[in-house]
Amino acid sequence: MTTASPDLAADSREALDAEIAALRRGATLWTRLSLEQRATLLERIHASTAAVMDEWADAAATSKGLGPDHPLRGEEWFTGPYMTLVSTEWLARTVRTLADGGNPLDGVPLDQTPSGRLRARVFPGDLSDRIIVSGFTGEVWFDGDVTPARARAAAGLGQRTPGVSGGVGLVLGAGNVTSIPVADVLYELFAFNRVCLLKVNPTQDALVPVFEQALAPLIELGLLRIVRGGGEIGAYLTRHESVDHVHITGSVDTFDAIVWGVGDDAAARRADGNPLLQTPITAELGGVSPIIVVPGEWSEADLAYQAEHVATMRLQNAGHNCVAAQVLVLSEDWPQREAFLDHVRRAMAGTPSRKVWYPRSEERLATLRDSRPDATWSDGGRRGVVEFACGADDAMEIQEQFAPVLGVTALPGVGQVFLDAAIAYANERLTGTLGANILIDPVEQTRLGDDFERALERLHYGTIAVNTWTAVGFLTPALPWGAYPGGTLEHAPSGLGVVHNAFLLARIDRAVVRGPFRPFPRSLSALRPRSRGAFSLLPKPPWFVTARTGATVSAGLTRFRAGGGILRLIPTMLNAFRA
């Protein structure tokens, strides 16, 4: 039976019950739609998203305090309508392939890692990908015993059995990135055949009218309902007898409160192994993500560019990201360590000023400022660089700060010795398993050879980024996004399960994304015979917080994804060269 919340009025409970009852009827309709009809539905969502993309980006930027001329408004184009448009494109392609009797892995190169693990090279997918994110690639690594035949046999997930209903799913939406609630709804619907009740985080209430228009094709068919409200609404819904599954993007504290309750009762339940929540749950819960810098011989331009890269990993969305990198891991024995740190401090201080907007982040910042007076603070104390001793159980190691503060620590060694030590440190000392970043110059990576690839396999994170940021994996719907496998209800610091995963693949171990170490024009050296590294057309990726044309380029790329045609890319890419 549903447990009535004492804080929830009877009319509110009745309204929520009615929404769930409507979804129960919608679940039956969903099982009757053919794969062709489902692909068409995704194309309709693509069109309705394109129709509101300007409103979406403006509402998201305004809600975060980014005025009409703020240089960082491009973030809200990329992480809102752009990602939604690309997600519907990829999913529609998968569903149409299945409808035509094909397999989602048709045409996808499959090979093995040096350790013999199967991987699918799913990105880039077409010419536009190769232009927009030139030099970037993405791979899905499978569980150790998955063969090509097994991977193909399972590809498609719920769309292999479209007539089997997954019931009603509750999605507790994220409060920081506006595309996340939409992506989570689409994954519930297409991976598991679950119609959805989306409970929007209060920080995104202003986006509800946009969501309702973008997702109108789902709402009209009774496949989606959207509700607002605080914790009391969420508490009622998670324990509702007609909800078959819960998915949350949020904090581990919220997850634990849902699963175990709070206070002494929660402790007793944990001790007895008797969770309060009896409904199955998946979650994406963030964590403390590292940036491991493998020492090498870097030019001054390399030092400056990668410092801006590090600042972007920490400061995008004011640091209010589960994908944000929190701990920079350097080598004590790298002769360029101090020079690089100087560049990092300048990049952190020199990015455009912005508001720390997420609830309670100001309080976390104040605590850090009070406890770390020796840190390097900038932007009126709204961002900082904090150095700490490695493995000291520092707050930067054990608690996701969700604020624009970068931790810096160091380990001894160079080459493989350093890399192995940094991987062990990240696995054993940092909270969570969501994403890890590695920066390594092409000469050093070539010298390490297959040992570098084997080291990646020992790095237990759901997404690993080599010479790029894990956000590229997050924004690539072809790739899965979620914690490294192995989390439990008792211990799930970064969550359970994955989302995105537009190929609808099963038994995933992780995603690996790779990018160019050097931007254009210095990446031209990669075109020479026997050269090392990856070529890129991008002089500076538009998601860098230091990209001067980031807002214009991000909007232009979104309009292209809305259906502008390949020629419409030309002025946008020319703007990218002015970044």
Side-chain angles (χ1 to χ4, degrees), residues 30 38 41 45 158-159 184-196 218 223:
W30 181 240
R38 294 177 181 203
L41 183 61
I45 297 169
Q159 299 314 290
D184 291 349
V185 164
L186 292 177
Y187 196 62
E188 285 288 291
L189 195 58
F190 285 89
F192 305 111
N193 285 327
R194 282 194 283 265
V195 299
C196 287
L218 297 180
L223 308 177

Side-chain angles (χ1 to χ4, degrees), residues 160-218:
R160 300 186 70 84
T161 54
V164 179
S165 174
V168 175
L170 169 65
V171 172
L172 299 175
N176 59 329
V177 173
T178 60
S179 63
I180 292 178
V182 177
D184 291 349
V185 164
L186 292 177
Y187 196 62
E188 285 288 291
L189 195 58
F190 285 89
F192 305 111
N193 285 327
R194 282 194 283 265
V195 299
C196 287
L197 179 64
L198 169 61
K199 207 286 282 184
V200 175
N201 189 293
T203 62
Q204 295 201 7
D205 278 352
L207 274 296
V208 170
V210 171
F211 292 158
E212 289 174 339
Q213 293 177 74
L215 299 176
L218 297 180

Side-chain angles (χ1 to χ4, degrees), residues 265-284:
D265 180 63
R269 287 182 174 278
R270 279 182 177 275
D272 294 338
N274 179 31
L276 180 64
L277 182 71
Q278 297 299 309
T279 305
I281 185 170
T282 52
E284 193 267 81

Side-chain angles (χ1 to χ4, degrees), residues 42 45-50 56 77-91 178-183 186 211 214-215 475 477 558 561:
L42 283 163
I45 297 169
H46 185 278
S48 55
T49 297
W56 187 328
W77 282 94
F78 256 137
T79 61
Y82 180 90
M83 183 175 175
T84 303
L85 291 167
V86 179
S87 295
T88 53
E89 289 175 16
W90 280 91
L91 274 171
T178 60
S179 63
I180 292 178
V182 177
L186 292 177
F211 292 158
L215 299 176
L475 287 169
T558 306
R561 287 298 188 192

Side-chain angles (χ1 to χ4, degrees), residues 431-553:
T431 296
T433 63
L434 188 60
N437 311 273
I438 299 178
L439 301 179
I440 181 170
D441 73 90
V443 172
E444 184 65 13
Q445 186 173 344
T446 300
R447 190 182 71 79
L448 296 180
D450 283 351
D451 286 340
F452 177 77
E453 295 297 314
R454 294 187 182 97
L456 293 188
E457 198 150 357
R458 295 193 297 274
L459 186 56
H460 292 168
Y461 283 79
T463 296
I464 298 172
V466 180
N467 289 332
T468 184
W469 178 25
T470 51
V472 174
F474 172 87
L475 287 169
T476 303
L479 296 169
W481 178 256
Y484 186 73
T488 64
L489 291 180
E490 291 78 13
H491 184 70
S494 285
L496 303 167
V498 300
V499 290
H500 305 177
N501 187 24
F503 281 88
L504 301 178
L505 304 176
R507 298 195 58 194
I508 292 166
D509 179 71
R510 74 190 76 187
V512 177
V513 288
R514 304 174 196 259
F517 182 74
R518 296 183 176 96
F520 186 87
R522 292 189 297 120
S523 65
L524 284 168
S525 61
L527 298 177
R528 298 171 185 162
R530 295 182 298 280
S531 67
R532 303 176 178 93
F535 171 72
S536 177
L537 282 170
L538 294 172
K540 185 178 291 185
W543 55 85
F544 268 39
V545 291
T546 52
R548 289 178 296 183
T549 59
T552 302
V553 172

